[in-house]
Structures are given as C-alpha cells and as structure tokens.
Amino acid sequence: MKVCIHRGSQEIGGMATEISTTKTRLVIDMGDQLSLDPDFVSSSLDISGVTDDKIPCHGVLFTHYHGDHTGQILAIRPGLPLYAGPLAKDIMALTAGHSWKRNPALSKRIASIQSFFPGRPFTIGDIEITPFSIDHSACDSYMFLIEADGRRLLYTGDFRLHGIRGKAMDKILDTRVGKVHTLIIEGTTLSRPDQASRTEWDLQDQVRKYLKEYKYVFVLCSTTNLDRIFALARAVPYGKYCICDSYQKSLMDAVSRHWSGLSSFYQMPKITTYGDNLLPNFQRLGGLMFIRANKKFADILRQFNRKESILLYSMWKGYRTRPGSKLPEFLSLAGSWTDLHTSGHASPEDLAHVIERVDPDLVIPMHTEAPQRLAEICPNRKVLLVEDGEELTL
Ligand SMILES: [Zn+2]
Ligand SMILES: [Zn+2]
C-alpha cells in the first residue's frame, strides 16, 4: 500500500491524501486551504487522474463536509465516483442550494455522491474501506480503516473526544479497529491549543445559566455545527422561545431525519422559525435566538434591552480577532457578550490517547502547522514527518 499526502502535511486545511495499490488509487478529501484573510483564495489541487484523466483513479472519499476537506470538489474530473456519509451529503446539498450562495454546478456534483454507512465495510478495487462515524464540529464525520496488501491503515480525519459523541471513539477502536500498522492522525491542536478542555455538555450547562440570568440570549454559531445547535436548543426551558431562521431549521431537520432513531438527542427540539411577527412575543417571553452577523440581525439586536440581553460568541476566536474583522463591532450591539466555544479538534492528550489505543508501528501527523510536536506527546512511537507530495510505501 502506498500513501501520498498531496496537501495538508504541514497546514490546517487544503486536505488531499492518496492511498494506492498496484491496481487501485483512491483520494481522501479534496479541500480548500484556510486563511484568516477574508480575501484569500485557495490554490487549486492538481492530482493526476483526479483533476485530469491521464491515469486511472477510482474514487474520492470525503471525511466530512467542512470546506478544507471538500472545497475543491468541482476540480474533480466529471465521472470520478465520490463517496460521503448520507447526512453529510444532505448537508452539503442544503448548503450549496442555499439562496445567498446558490451554485447549480456544485449541487449537481453533490447529487452524484454515493453514500457509505457507519461501520459497514465496502471495497473499491482491491482496497477495503470501513468508515466509522466519529465526533467533530461537523456532524456525520468519518474516520477510515483502510485495508489492502495485508496492511491496515487508520486515517482519523478531523475528530475530537470532548464532543457529544466523543465517548464512542474508544468503543470503535477497541471493538472494530484494534492494532494498525499505520496511523495518519490530525494534529490541529498541536499548533492551535484552543480551549479543548471544555466539553459540548459544559457549553450546554453554561447556556442554561445564562438563560436564568438574562431574558434574551443570542447565539452566534456556525450553522453547520449541528451537535452544538441541538445541545443549546435543548437548554431552553419550557415557556421560553428558541428561535432560528428557516435555513438553520432545514439543516436541523436533515439531522433529525437521519439520526432521530439513533438517539433522543437528535429528535427535533422545540424551535420556532424566525419571522418579524415573532419579535413582540420574544420581547415578552424571552429565550434564545440563533443569529448571524449581518444587518438583519444587527437591527434585531438593537431592539432589545441591553441590560437584559447577552450575545454568546460560539465560534473560533480567530475569526473575531483577525485584522479587519467586523465581528467586534457586531458583538458590541448586545448589552454584553462573551465567548462560548470549545474546539472541534482533539486535545494533545486525546491525540496521545488514540495513538496508544491502536498501537501503530508508524504515526504520521497531518492537518497541523506543528507536525514535529507529535513526537513530544508520544515519545515511545515512531513518528514520521512527511512533505506534501512525498510518496511512501507502507
Ligand atoms: Zn479540517
Ligand atoms: Zn473539520
């Protein structure tokens, strides 16, 4: 089995990794590079057989729907089979079809995605892939166990252990994965030590407290951070409003359609779709409103008593603190505001935990700006640092 990280060996984002045997070539993710500069445009990926038809390639698998893993989907040659989780596919379709960034070509390509299912192995050529549903700030995210040529490789994708379903990881590793030869592991927090010590449940508890203290709680959160949206919506007590707009509701409906049978957590919480006529009722009863940083919600924020309202900034701090960010101005529209966030990525301790659990002969970090730090958290392991485009035979 051969591996080549085309991009992402030393950066967070822009991901694309090739796995191949003599008969089969697969690529995992085709993502955009990330930057704090809002005008930044990712450079395109150029992978033979994927972005052209010069040599055979047999499929592209997506770990999850974040743009740093899917942003280059339209660069993939037409006809090359694509694979993703069923809910991830629906969320990608809803996002691509959303009014303010509608993209018919993207919608058409997303419609062609074939779904795989958690824990159910499938083969492409002579490579067997078992996708496992794991916890991340995108729901329906996957880790892949890849088996070919008598070798076992675990590709974690983006993951964490402190989310709503973080505890599932140990069970998957112990009962379905076991020992692997090679582990390719994301290492975001090696270079970006966010507040990964707080769990999503901690954030839910915190919101319960704010709802007691303030009549109006406004939450600015990524619309596709759906585990968090569900957790915070569930914190709203009976008799108070929980409000979101119709786009947010459509994303929640998709989650509920796919997963309500798996856990009551994913059954639709009581939530009202925003309309101007709702504001007088919200003024009267109070509660929680999911908002976005735009003029419409700026006008809404101005209508509420500043002493009785708080805005919770529930996204990565980097967007708020980057030079030229307009977010501080928006946040100041509420009477007070505070951060309410935890990382979508495993802490260094949790990375070490996963590494020990699968007992790999070789560990390769990616999706990090500090791959060299991985060796510090697992000194007993053989850690291999690779360059983008370097081909390894495992
Ligand atoms: Zn990522
Ligand atoms: Zn991600």
Side-chain angles (χ1 to χ4, degrees):
M1 191 195 300
K2 286 186 175 165
V3 170
C4 174
I5 299 177
H6 287 279
R7 194 160 67 187
S9 65
Q10 289 158 52
E11 66 186 287
I12 298 169
M15 313 313 292
T17 301
E18 177 178 333
I19 313 278
S20 61
T21 62
T22 50
K23 295 196 186 92
T24 311
R25 287 179 72 222
L26 298 179
V27 168
I28 301 174
D29 290 334
M30 281 286 284
D32 279 339
Q33 292 170 298
L34 297 175
S35 167
L36 283 176
D37 176 358
D39 299 322
F40 173 82
V41 177
S42 171
S43 62
S44 52
L45 278 162
D46 186 8
I47 303 175
S48 201
V50 178
T51 52
D52 62 39
D53 56 5
K54 287 181 188 153
I55 57 169
C57 179
H58 302 91
V60 176
L61 315 171
F62 292 112
T63 54
H64 63 291
Y65 52 68
H66 280 158
D68 59 317
H69 298 256
T70 60
Q72 292 281 313
I73 186 172
L74 286 179
I76 299 169
R77 70 171 164 79
L80 181 57
L82 309 180
Y83 303 85
L87 171 56
K89 176 183 172 177
D90 277 6
I91 289 174
M92 286 168 78
L94 284 164
T95 309
H98 187 44
S99 56
W100 46 274
K101 48 183 173 183
R102 187 165 287 150
N103 182 337
L106 181 58
S107 295
K108 197 172 163 208
R109 196 62 172 113
I110 290 167
S112 76
I113 292 175
Q114 302 175 45
S115 294
F116 49 67
F117 295 90
R120 210 185 289 173
F122 63 103
T123 54
I124 300 176
D126 59 353
I127 300 179
E128 182 171 280
I129 304 120
T130 311
F132 294 108
S133 175
I134 40 124
D135 194 281
H136 178 46
S137 45
C139 64
D140 210 23
S141 292
Y142 288 86
M143 164 173 86
F144 297 128
L145 175 64
I146 306 214
E147 295 171 276
D149 293 343
R151 311 296 289 169
R152 308 181 85 234
L153 177 150
L154 187 67
Y155 185 98
T156 65
D158 292 4
F159 79 99
R160 61 179 173 181
L161 304 186
H162 58 277
I164 298 294
R165 296 176 304 119
K167 288 204 171 79
M169 179 64 106
D170 276 359
K171 206 170 155 198
I172 293 167
L173 296 180
D174 292 349
T175 63
R176 298 292 307 272
V177 177
K179 181 183 166 53
V180 298
H181 296 107
T182 306
L183 173 66
I184 301 183
I185 190 164
E186 75 119 314
T188 313
T189 62
L190 297 172
S191 58
R192 193 198 276 176
D194 283 359
Q195 317 107 314
S197 56
R198 300 173 84 188
T199 69
E200 290 289 341
W201 299 113
D202 292 337
L203 304 192
Q204 188 190 51
D205 282 346
Q206 197 64 47
V207 164
R208 281 203 181 96
K209 286 180 192 140
Y210 286 128
L211 282 161
K212 282 188 187 138
E213 208 176 322
Y214 294 89
K215 189 169 181 187
Y216 312 111
V217 174
F218 298 94
V219 177
L220 186 59
C221 178
S222 160
T223 51
T224 57
N225 192 349
L226 287 150
D227 277 7
R228 181 168 306 167
I229 300 277
F230 269 74
L232 302 192
R234 292 205 177 285
V236 180
Y238 184 77
K240 289 193 179 232
Y241 272 104
C242 181
I243 299 174
C244 69
D245 64 12
S246 56
Y247 173 57
Q248 181 70 73
K249 174 80 166 26
S250 70
L251 294 169
M252 294 177 76
D253 282 336
V255 175
S256 190
R257 215 167 39 240
H258 283 269
W259 284 1
S260 61
L262 297 178
S263 159
S264 58
F265 178 82
Y266 294 110
Q267 285 166 11
M268 202 61 188
K270 193 176 83 59
I271 194 152
T272 309
T273 308
Y274 175 81
D276 290 331
N277 55 347
L278 258 182
L279 283 183
N281 291 337
F282 188 59
Q283 289 269 18
R284 191 164 48 84
L285 291 178
L288 183 149
M289 187 188 288
F290 292 105
I291 61 169
R292 261 165 296 141
N294 60 24
K295 185 174 178 308
K296 177 175 122 180
F297 285 106
D299 291 343
I300 291 171
L301 282 173
R302 287 192 190 94
Q303 297 176 43
F304 288 83
N305 183 332
R306 288 171 64 85
K307 286 208 179 89
E308 292 180 304
S309 51
I310 187 165
L311 199 168
L312 306 177
Y313 178 73
S314 197
M315 296 194 288
W316 182 48
K317 196 170 72 180
Y319 299 126
R320 169 167 77 65
T321 55
R322 67 184 168 195
S325 171
K326 298 218 164 50
L327 282 169
E329 196 186 324
F330 181 81
L331 296 171
S332 70
L333 293 172
S336 56
W337 70 269
T338 187
D339 283 307
L340 182 94
H341 189 56
T342 189
S343 176
H345 302 276
S347 65
E349 297 73 37
D350 288 346
L351 295 175
H353 174 86
V354 166
I355 293 168
E356 289 312 308
R357 211 87 180 185
V358 295
D359 189 24
D361 300 330
L362 183 66
V363 188
I364 301 172
M366 69 182 309
H367 201 281
T368 178
E369 285 162 0
Q372 73 284 358
R373 286 199 198 136
L374 193 73
E376 294 166 19
I377 65 165
C378 54
N380 54 329
R381 297 286 165 186
K382 185 176 172 195
V383 175
L384 186 67
L385 306 184
V386 298
E387 304 272 335
D388 284 356
E390 187 182 338
E391 189 177 77
L392 301 171
T393 302
L394 300 177

